[in-house]
Amino acid sequence: MYLTLKVKLNPDREQSDKLLTTMEKFNEACNYVSEAAWYNKKFGKTGIQKLTYYDIRQNFSLSAQLTVRAIGKVVESYSSDRKTMHKFDRRGAVVYDQRVLSFKGNDTVSILTLDGREKISISYGDFRPLDKNRIRGQTDLIYEDNNFYLMLVMEVGENEVRFDDDVMGVDLGVVNIATTSDNEIYKGTKADEIRERYTSLKSRLQSAGTWSAKKHLKKLSKKERRFKRDLNHRVAKQLVKRAKDTSRAIALENLNGFRPEATVTKAQRDRLGKWAFSELTDFILYKAKLEGVPVVIINPMYTSQQCSECGHINKSNRQKQANFRCKTCGHRENADYNASKNIAHRGDVSLPNVLRLASVS
């Protein structure tokens, strides 16, 4: 499978200026190509290249390979939408390949600018080690918050699927981010504190309404998004590790279109906001695939209203957000734990037979 690794460039001031100039010229060239393609109704690579190649080389000072990459970026853009003429941000991504970007060891890259090649140090997290031999295809140079990053596409191996014909159910929620059928609860306590602090600060900044306040709001929004993403990564990693260590598959609900704010009180909604369920699910799916852990997606209907002991379904079974009490058999327990056991049972029923046979052989 393929993963994208985000690598930070650490240029000095002069190198940063060169990269920005190259980026702006590259996207100016993309806009020139886009306009020519639109008015001449030529959207294929060969037609656009014949039409614009030499003009780009002369007017935008791009190398031959960067010229080809600019044309390729426009062609790819129009491949999915030809209803309007496309515009490219002046600091949009620059597309590099192995001819114009190479690695010098694991901590330096040689990257082409309008003023020639520059050797720039790089840094990256330890979540996914950089293996140059696994890099595939093109690499995008992007500019975010005054920093340059390379988006590397890496091919990574997948572990053999192994499990002991058992399933761990995972209930995703707002108050508790995740609850497993082992009654392991991943609480949102820290998330609550961060959200409350951000909500209070946002309210004050919105009331101020100044230019600097709006700038601070934008920065704050990105910081909050990074926090949520990091927390989702950590929860997904722990869930997959738990399933792998116990040789079980993972069962998740299909929450496409689900609105968590509709299942909690107004006070909880104001305090917690909407959690990124789709992101957390995606993280679990790809981490599980890497570790050889099967994942089955089940229908979420009535998992929170069904008794995990007798199977009786009644909306009144879930008395409060955290409390479940069956109206038929009287079974009581945490509502999220009850739901996770229902999810595990449905996942067990839904597991493909081929996986069961593989586990036996």
Side-chain angles (χ1 to χ4, degrees):
M1 66 180 294
Y2 294 92
L3 292 178
T4 300
L5 179 64
K6 190 174 184 178
V7 173
K8 184 180 180 182
L9 290 177
N10 303 305
D12 58 31
R13 181 63 178 272
E14 184 179 353
Q15 290 173 327
S16 182
D17 290 341
K18 290 180 180 179
L19 289 174
L20 269 181
T21 301
T22 302
M23 179 172 280
E24 290 170 358
K25 283 294 182 181
F26 181 89
N27 285 289
E28 283 179 25
C30 287
N31 281 321
Y32 175 83
V33 174
S34 179
E35 186 174 349
W38 176 255
Y39 286 112
N40 288 277
K41 300 303 177 186
K42 291 183 180 292
F43 301 105
K45 183 178 180 181
T46 302
I48 295 179
Q49 190 158 316
K50 286 182 177 179
L51 192 65
T52 62
Y53 178 85
Y54 291 105
D55 288 341
I56 296 172
R57 294 295 310 278
Q58 181 177 355
N59 298 330
F60 300 97
S61 303
L62 295 184
S63 70
Q65 197 58 28
L66 282 180
T67 298
V68 171
R69 296 272 61 86
I71 293 170
K73 180 177 178 178
V74 176
V75 170
E76 185 176 353
S77 174
Y78 277 113
S79 66
S80 59
D81 176 21
R82 297 179 182 177
K83 296 179 180 179
T84 59
M85 185 173 71
H86 296 186
K87 296 285 187 180
F88 296 87
D89 188 272
R90 61 190 289 264
R91 292 184 176 176
V94 181
V95 184
Y96 282 89
D97 59 26
Q98 67 273 17
R99 296 180 180 86
V100 284
L101 182 138
S102 58
F103 286 84
K104 306 298 181 183
N106 286 333
D107 58 1
T108 305
V109 294
S110 173
I111 187 169
L112 186 65
T113 71
L114 296 184
D115 297 313
R117 282 185 174 266
E118 293 288 333
K119 290 185 178 180
I120 303 174
S121 68
I122 59 175
S123 56
Y124 45 90
D126 58 1
F127 169 71
R128 178 60 53 188
L130 175 60
D131 183 347
K132 296 181 294 182
N133 296 323
R134 293 183 179 273
I135 297 174
R136 300 289 183 267
Q138 302 170 172
T139 297
D140 285 351
L141 173 70
I142 65 173
Y143 189 64
E144 289 183 354
D145 298 326
N146 300 318
N147 291 306
F148 289 96
Y149 298 93
L150 293 174
M151 307 300 289
L152 306 176
V153 177
M154 299 183 63
E155 184 177 12
V156 294
E158 301 170 23
N159 288 334
E160 180 184 357
V161 173
R162 300 185 65 181
F163 76 110
D164 293 333
D165 202 23
D166 199 4
V167 178
M168 181 180 78
V170 179
D171 178 59
L172 303 181
V174 177
V175 177
N176 295 320
I177 297 173
T179 303
T180 74
S181 51
D182 297 334
N183 202 17
E184 280 191 314
I185 299 175
Y186 297 81
K187 292 185 176 295
T189 307
K190 182 63 176 178
D192 293 354
E193 296 173 1
I194 296 294
R195 289 192 195 99
E196 288 175 358
R197 190 168 76 232
Y198 284 164
T199 298
S200 177
L201 182 53
K202 283 179 180 179
S203 178
R204 295 198 301 271
L205 290 172
Q206 288 168 348
S207 298
T210 62
W211 178 84
S212 60
K214 291 177 181 178
K215 185 177 180 181
H216 194 176
L217 273 169
K218 186 176 181 180
K219 184 177 181 180
L220 199 66
S221 177
K222 291 182 178 180
K223 189 174 181 180
E224 185 177 12
R225 178 85 282 283
R226 288 195 298 270
F227 165 76
K228 288 182 177 180
R229 185 177 179 85
D230 178 68
L231 185 55
N232 278 337
H233 261 304
R234 292 173 184 273
V235 171
K237 183 177 181 179
Q238 292 178 48
L239 289 170
V240 171
K241 184 179 186 302
R242 175 70 174 173
K244 182 180 180 180
D245 289 347
T246 53
S247 300
R248 289 180 293 175
I250 295 175
L252 296 170
E253 295 174 296
N254 181 0
L255 296 177
N256 288 337
F258 173 65
R259 296 186 303 112
E261 66 268 23
T263 66
V264 296
T265 66
K266 184 178 186 302
Q268 291 169 333
R269 183 164 63 247
D270 292 341
R271 187 178 91 252
L272 298 173
K274 184 176 181 179
W275 194 252
F277 288 101
S278 59
E279 181 182 75
L280 178 54
T281 300
D282 288 343
F283 288 169
I284 294 171
L285 288 172
Y286 91 75
K287 291 177 192 293
K289 193 172 184 180
L290 285 174
E291 297 297 336
V293 175
V295 177
V296 58
I297 306 297
I298 61 99
N299 188 331
M301 189 172 291
Y302 306 124
T303 55
S304 64
Q305 300 175 17
Q306 182 177 9
C307 177
S308 59
E309 292 296 317
C310 71
H312 175 68
I313 297 174
N314 192 316
K315 186 176 182 180
S316 300
N317 282 347
R318 188 162 186 169
Q319 300 173 321
K320 294 182 179 179
Q321 188 281 324
N323 300 327
F324 183 93
R325 181 179 182 278
C326 181
K327 295 294 183 181
T328 298
C329 71
H331 174 66
R332 295 172 179 262
E333 66 185 349
N334 176 275
D336 292 339
Y337 178 40
N338 176 77
S340 69
K341 290 194 290 185
N342 289 327
I343 294 168
H345 175 71
R346 294 188 190 184
D348 184 61
V349 172
S350 303
L351 270 177
N353 289 330
V354 66
L355 291 179
R356 297 184 188 283
L357 292 174
S359 67
V360 173
S361 59

